Amino acid sequence: MLPGPKSRVKAVALTAMTAAAYTVGVVALAPISFYIYQVRVADALLALSTILGLPVIAGTAIGCALANLYGGYGIVDIVGGSLANLIATTVGFLIAKRRFRGSLIVALLAETLIVSIIVGGYLAVLFNVPLEVGFLSILVGSLISINLLGYGLVKVLKRLGHYG
Amino acid sequence: MMRVFEGLRFRRIPSPVHELDPRSKAVYVAVVSILSIVYSDPLVLTVLLIIQIPLVYAAKVVRFWLNSLRGSTFLAVFIFAVNLLTSYLYMGGFTLEGLLTATAMTLRFILLMGVFSLFFLTTTPEDLSLALEKLRIPYDICFAFTAAMRFVPDIALEAQSIMDAQKSRGLELERGGFIERIRKTLPILVPLFIRSFQRSLELAEAMESRAYGAIEKRTSLYELKMSKNDYVFMILSIILLTATLLIKPP
């Protein structure tokens, strides 16, 4: 288990760096598209809330808002996306904290579902996109980025242990 | 890739819009957002979009503004296509009404995008952080926000080096199928995050050496102050809201 930062200053610093890394990931690693599915690679960082907790929760929310500054998806991200990230990573963290068998997979699935429901939800409410369509297209993208890439990221980092 | 960040790095341009207080600009953003959500009439939305243009000109950020709108093409097309398709499926054919709804929804999206990007293009990170503090958001969060903004170009450079390094080891990012290409991003994500984690420890040390958080009540060197222009701008925004609602009730 990776140690989440214990001191307040370290937590604040890690929050800032996670936010910056997320922003760079969103902008620099261009999303990989496949028909209407778009995989946002940086969302793999959401999975890290399961091992690092609060700094990743706040960091990915701030990073999502920041990505907008660099010409991301505007309002869709800055309010909805940040909120989705915030809630998803919090729930993921709370589930992973209980450490039962397969808790990591359950936590990541929960994150994916929450992101899809929130983003799909406001796409439906704001822009008249049918709930199923928005939900499904986000779900496929998030499943790949959070569950496939994110799972890999968590596994690799855990194996590396105390890095830094 | 670095060009993206270079082009979008904040530039302090002397313009009347840049000089406005973030709080008064936020009122304007709120007004336009409310209006764009309340109305689904393409005409009203077009008029609201046209109102943005002189402001963008006054702020001297036309090129950047258009750039950020270009970034949202994917979602705009998605929203338009899905709307058109559902109206086709539910109404059994292409109708004028369906086309109008699809246009309105796309316009709403572009409008929301535009007004938010105008706000961020004309507000310095420092001002934003000060405004967040005024809204009583904990200083830790405000600091993380400004620090993240400051480190984005550095980490982007880092990401570029990592990509080059992995490519020189034979990682072909642009080749392979859908899943293949996604798996290939892992050798970039892992070192990128590890480096960010290491940097956070260095940053923490620097912060501690400057006694971060030692004093409960912080004071700022610069304070945000509302000027006469700010009040005028806010009043104009509220007039825009009430006038639109009165002239054409939704």
Side-chain angles (χ1 to χ4, degrees):
Chain A
M1 201 70 167
L2 284 172
K6 296 255 168 355
S7 86
R8 175 183 154 208
V9 177
K10 275 186 186 157
V12 173
L14 186 58
T15 306
M17 288 304 173
T18 310
Y22 185 85
T23 309
V24 170
V26 170
V27 183
L29 299 173
I32 298 168
S33 304
F34 183 72
Y35 296 112
I36 60 163
Y37 306 119
Q38 212 179 23
V39 177
R40 192 198 271 180
V41 177
D43 274 354
L45 290 183
L46 296 186
L48 291 177
S49 76
T50 56
I51 45 173
L52 292 170
L54 196 61
V56 172
I57 294 173
T60 47
I62 293 174
C64 189
L66 263 181
N68 169 66
L69 273 164
Y70 295 92
Y73 303 93
I75 169 76
V76 175
D77 258 5
I78 202 158
V79 184
S82 300
L83 196 70
N85 280 1
L86 191 71
I87 297 173
T89 46
T90 309
V91 172
F93 169 64
L94 291 177
I95 293 175
K97 216 173 68 174
R98 317 198 73 163
R99 289 218 227 168
F100 50 87
R101 239 180 108 93
S103 63
L104 177 62
I105 293 173
V106 175
L108 295 186
L109 279 175
E111 291 193 2
T112 306
L113 271 179
I114 291 168
V115 169
S116 314
I117 289 169
I118 295 179
V119 179
Y122 68 72
L123 278 179
V125 173
L126 280 181
F127 305 113
N128 209 16
V129 172
L131 196 61
E132 318 76 274
V133 178
F135 176 73
L136 267 181
S137 85
I138 308 285
L139 183 74
V140 172
S142 298
L143 261 179
I144 294 172
S145 61
I146 302 177
N147 291 60
L148 209 75
L149 272 180
Y151 184 80
L153 189 63
V154 169
K155 281 287 167 201
V156 172
L157 290 183
K158 263 189 178 171
R159 201 176 61 214
L160 292 177
H162 296 259
Y163 50 81
Chain B
M1 176 187 109
M2 273 318 288
R3 269 219 321 276
V4 181
F5 288 100
E6 210 44 61
L8 289 159
R9 189 180 285 187
F10 188 84
R11 289 196 186 85
R12 199 181 282 270
I13 310 167
S15 90
V17 183
H18 284 73
E19 275 158 24
L20 289 173
D21 190 290
R23 287 166 292 178
S24 65
K25 274 184 277 192
V27 171
Y28 170 74
V29 171
V31 164
V32 176
S33 308
I34 291 169
L35 286 176
S36 67
I37 290 165
V38 169
Y39 290 96
S40 42
D41 179 351
L43 191 70
V44 179
L45 293 168
T46 312
V47 172
L48 282 171
L49 196 59
I50 290 171
I51 293 175
Q52 311 301 313
I53 295 170
L55 267 174
V56 176
Y57 264 97
K60 300 174 191 162
V61 288
V62 183
R63 200 158 55 90
F64 303 112
W65 192 68
L66 289 176
N67 246 341
S68 72
L69 284 191
R70 206 173 301 143
S72 59
T73 322
F74 180 88
L75 259 173
V77 171
F78 175 79
I79 289 167
F80 188 79
V82 169
N83 265 295
L84 209 57
L85 202 69
T86 42
S87 81
Y88 178 76
L89 291 177
Y90 290 110
M91 295 180 206
F94 287 110
T95 53
L96 184 66
E97 201 187 328
L99 189 68
L100 278 180
T101 318
T103 314
M105 292 306 142
T106 316
L107 275 174
R108 173 184 287 173
F109 174 68
I110 296 172
L111 182 61
L112 284 170
M113 275 290 308
V115 71
F116 269 83
S117 80
L118 178 66
F119 177 85
F120 286 106
L121 283 171
T122 58
T123 307
T124 63
E126 292 81 14
D127 280 359
L128 203 57
S129 176
L130 285 175
L132 290 178
E133 270 179 71
K134 287 266 184 213
L135 296 172
R136 293 176 193 265
I137 287 173
Y139 183 70
D140 284 350
I141 301 282
C142 303
F143 178 83
F145 189 83
T146 0
M149 205 159 339
R150 186 245 164 276
F151 280 104
V152 163
D154 292 23
I155 293 195
L157 209 63
E158 192 100 55
Q160 184 68 67
S161 315
I162 292 169
M163 278 157 108
D164 290 344
Q166 298 290 39
K167 274 183 195 160
S168 75
R169 288 183 183 136
L171 182 76
E172 296 177 307
L173 279 175
E174 284 89 15
R175 287 183 62 179
F178 181 55
I179 295 290
E180 181 84 24
R181 265 170 51 210
I182 289 164
R183 278 211 351 231
K184 281 177 179 166
T185 56
L186 206 55
I188 297 178
L189 277 179
V190 172
L192 184 68
F193 188 77
I194 292 183
R195 270 305 290 151
S196 309
F197 191 92
Q198 288 169 343
R199 269 171 188 271
S200 84
L201 296 178
E202 290 161 19
L203 176 66
E205 230 161 81
M207 285 159 69
E208 245 155 24
S209 72
R210 285 166 179 76
Y212 179 93
I215 302 164
E216 275 305 307
K217 182 109 183 77
R218 284 178 43 92
T219 53
S220 296
L221 187 55
Y222 300 102
E223 290 276 351
L224 282 180
K225 269 208 199 84
M226 295 283 238
S227 71
K228 209 166 76 189
N229 283 349
D230 285 308
Y231 290 110
V232 173
F233 190 62
M234 275 203 285
I235 291 167
L236 284 177
S237 304
I238 290 164
I239 290 174
L240 175 70
L241 179 70
T242 43
T244 320
L245 289 174
L246 285 177
I247 295 169
K248 197 173 172 12

